[in-house]
Amino acid sequence: MTLGTLAKLSSPLALLCLLYAQQAAPQFVSLPSAKTGINWRHDNAKSADRHLPETVGAGAAIFDFNGDGWMDIYFVNSGPSDFFTPKTKLRNALYRNNKDGSFTDVTLEAGVSGSGFGMGAAAADYDGDGHTDLLVTQYGQDILCRNNGDGTFSDVTAKAGITGSGWHSSAVWFDYDRDGKLDLFIANYVEYRKDLVKYCWDNALQISAYCVPTLFPPAHSRLFHNNGDGTFSDHSDSSGIAAYSGKAFGVVATDINNDNFPDLFVASDMAPNALFLNRKGGRFEEIGLYAGVAYSDGGDPRSGMGVDAVDFNGDGWQDLFVANIDQQHFALYRNQRDLSFSEEPGQLRSDTRLLSGWGLKFFDFDNDGDPDLILANGHPDDMIEKRMPGVTYAEPLLLFENRQGSFFNASTRSGDVFKQKWNARGLAVGDLDNDGDLDLIVCVNGGAPLFLRNDGGNRSNWLGLRLKSTASNPEAEGAILEWTAGATTRKRYRSAGGSFLSSHDSREILGLGSATSVTKLKITWPSGKLTVMNGIKAGQYIIVTEPGLSSK
């Protein structure tokens, strides 16, 4: 860079952007099935009748099912339903990590093939026995799979009291009453059954079309309270969750007012998004309209699909994000610290105008300590290119880099996979090769998933944490991590859920930049207990155990 070039830069931000552009960016490399051993494909049950569930699924979960310290992968597939009879047997798939970059299909021996028209997956240790369990949401009846600790799972749905049939989408495990046990929220989309199906016809193209969700009645989502004995009680009505009638897709549990009780942000499709404020005592109040996240600036409901939460600008307050359908813009909501949010302008908004977003996640792909954002996109209408010029059915993935609280499109410099187009849906994030940077699994509607390895994210230093609770909920949902590396101190709130129909690596990776150690690590557990550690060497995973509760 010449002195003349420097002189032309009008602001510190412009200089920063130029310096970033000159650095070698981490690359996301799409690994072939011949290398990974993952040869499973999603069947979307596509038919001439264009049933709406065909175009929604599916999701995936990244979790360590056998406790060996390596992340495994679970994929959700379609299956028998009242409108679909598969020509050949379809099943979900669990792939065990072989620790060498390859995976082995262990679905049948593990007992997690599925039994219906699958949608999403949410993994967590709901019974606190140290083994990660699995919930599969479906169009129909969901499945709760209890991890037996020996590489197998048992279907305990009926025994646990997870009841109700419907079109269930995303789910999240979180401890809403802070009793140390994981409760369960299940998002319900619309009332859809074969006897209620409406058939939509496109006169111009002379074919059946996917009906818009406004033609179907909204549904009520469910909240199940963990009784602590392996069973759950339906608290949907008593909590106030059932009072909201929406068309729920993505969900994230986070704390928008810093009161240590998790709130819920729920994306809704052509209905107002919901923001459930935790009023404690087992009660929620829906404040989406007041908070400014229910509708667009023009007062219209948008087609919310994927969601997540993060403190993107480092002010100590959780912000919200929701991806919408094309023409509506994706929305980044800045927390105003008074239970209201303002929608942010910028490249993130403008670059997504013609896209439809599903799976997404805030994650630190380059380990600089700041949360970046990955977006998986694809239009739900396979005939959209004939109906709307400029909009495509398959769409590119987008990667946005966080630079001091502003997001910049880093897709073109982050790998050839961003030059291609996919009909993506679910997206899960995790360190699949234990090298200290976060990889991606992207689910493709009606196709093979993408395995995207992060090459170079670990050029910056990192520290990985596995949080082991003793008094807080088993997943340490709601923990606050604060770490000092070099001259910089950062803070992160541990949200639960996020993305669309998918579940993520439960470990935390702290980006350290060029620092070779964490000078100080402070963890505030959901129970209120503190862990403080000093002088931790970078480049390793460590287990951090919550201190025991003291008498009050």
Side-chain angles (χ1 to χ4, degrees), residues 215-234:
L215 297 178
F216 300 96
H220 299 278
S221 294
R222 309 286 296 281
L223 181 67
F224 291 94
H225 180 263
N226 191 329
N227 299 323
D229 59 1
T231 68
F232 294 81
S233 297
D234 189 338

Side-chain angles (χ1 to χ4, degrees), residues 255-401:
D255 183 2
I256 66 166
N257 57 347
N258 289 345
D259 67 349
N260 192 39
F261 278 75
D263 313 296
L264 289 170
F265 181 48
V266 183
S268 199
D269 186 12
M270 294 306 294
N273 297 327
L275 181 57
F276 292 104
L277 180 66
N278 194 328
R279 288 298 191 184
K280 306 178 186 179
R283 293 285 303 174
F284 288 85
E285 178 186 358
E286 203 289 293
I287 63 166
L289 178 61
Y290 168 84
V293 299
Y295 299 95
S296 70
D297 290 341
D300 299 313
R302 292 190 273 200
S303 295
M305 295 177 285
V307 298
D308 203 14
V310 78
D311 175 11
F312 77 87
N313 56 354
D315 66 353
W317 295 76
Q318 291 295 106
D319 309 296
L320 304 174
F321 183 86
V322 59
N324 300 301
I325 205 167
D326 66 283
Q327 316 299 330
Q328 295 181 350
H329 300 286
F330 298 3
L332 175 63
Y333 293 108
R334 181 194 294 264
N335 194 325
Q336 299 297 310
R337 313 182 193 184
D338 59 359
L339 298 182
S340 72
F341 293 78
S342 62
E343 188 171 339
E344 291 289 288
Q347 195 175 75
L348 183 53
R349 176 180 167 87
S350 61
D351 285 8
T352 58
R353 187 178 70 84
L354 296 179
L355 301 179
S356 299
W358 303 82
L360 57 92
K361 198 78 180 88
F362 287 105
F363 76 127
D364 184 5
F365 80 93
D366 53 3
N367 283 341
D368 66 353
D370 296 320
D372 310 298
L373 177 63
I374 182 70
L375 301 170
N377 310 299
H379 203 280
D381 181 2
D382 60 344
M383 301 302 292
I384 190 63
E385 294 170 38
K386 296 183 178 180
R387 296 188 174 102
M388 187 175 296
V391 179
T392 59
Y393 177 54
E395 298 177 347
L397 307 172
L398 290 182
L399 179 67
F400 284 87
E401 184 178 8

Side-chain angles (χ1 to χ4, degrees), residues 36-55:
T36 64
I38 298 173
N39 51 24
W40 176 92
R41 293 179 62 90
H42 178 250
D43 187 319
N44 60 1
K46 188 174 181 179
S47 69
D49 292 330
R50 299 288 206 283
H51 288 285
L52 200 54
E54 300 171 7
T55 193

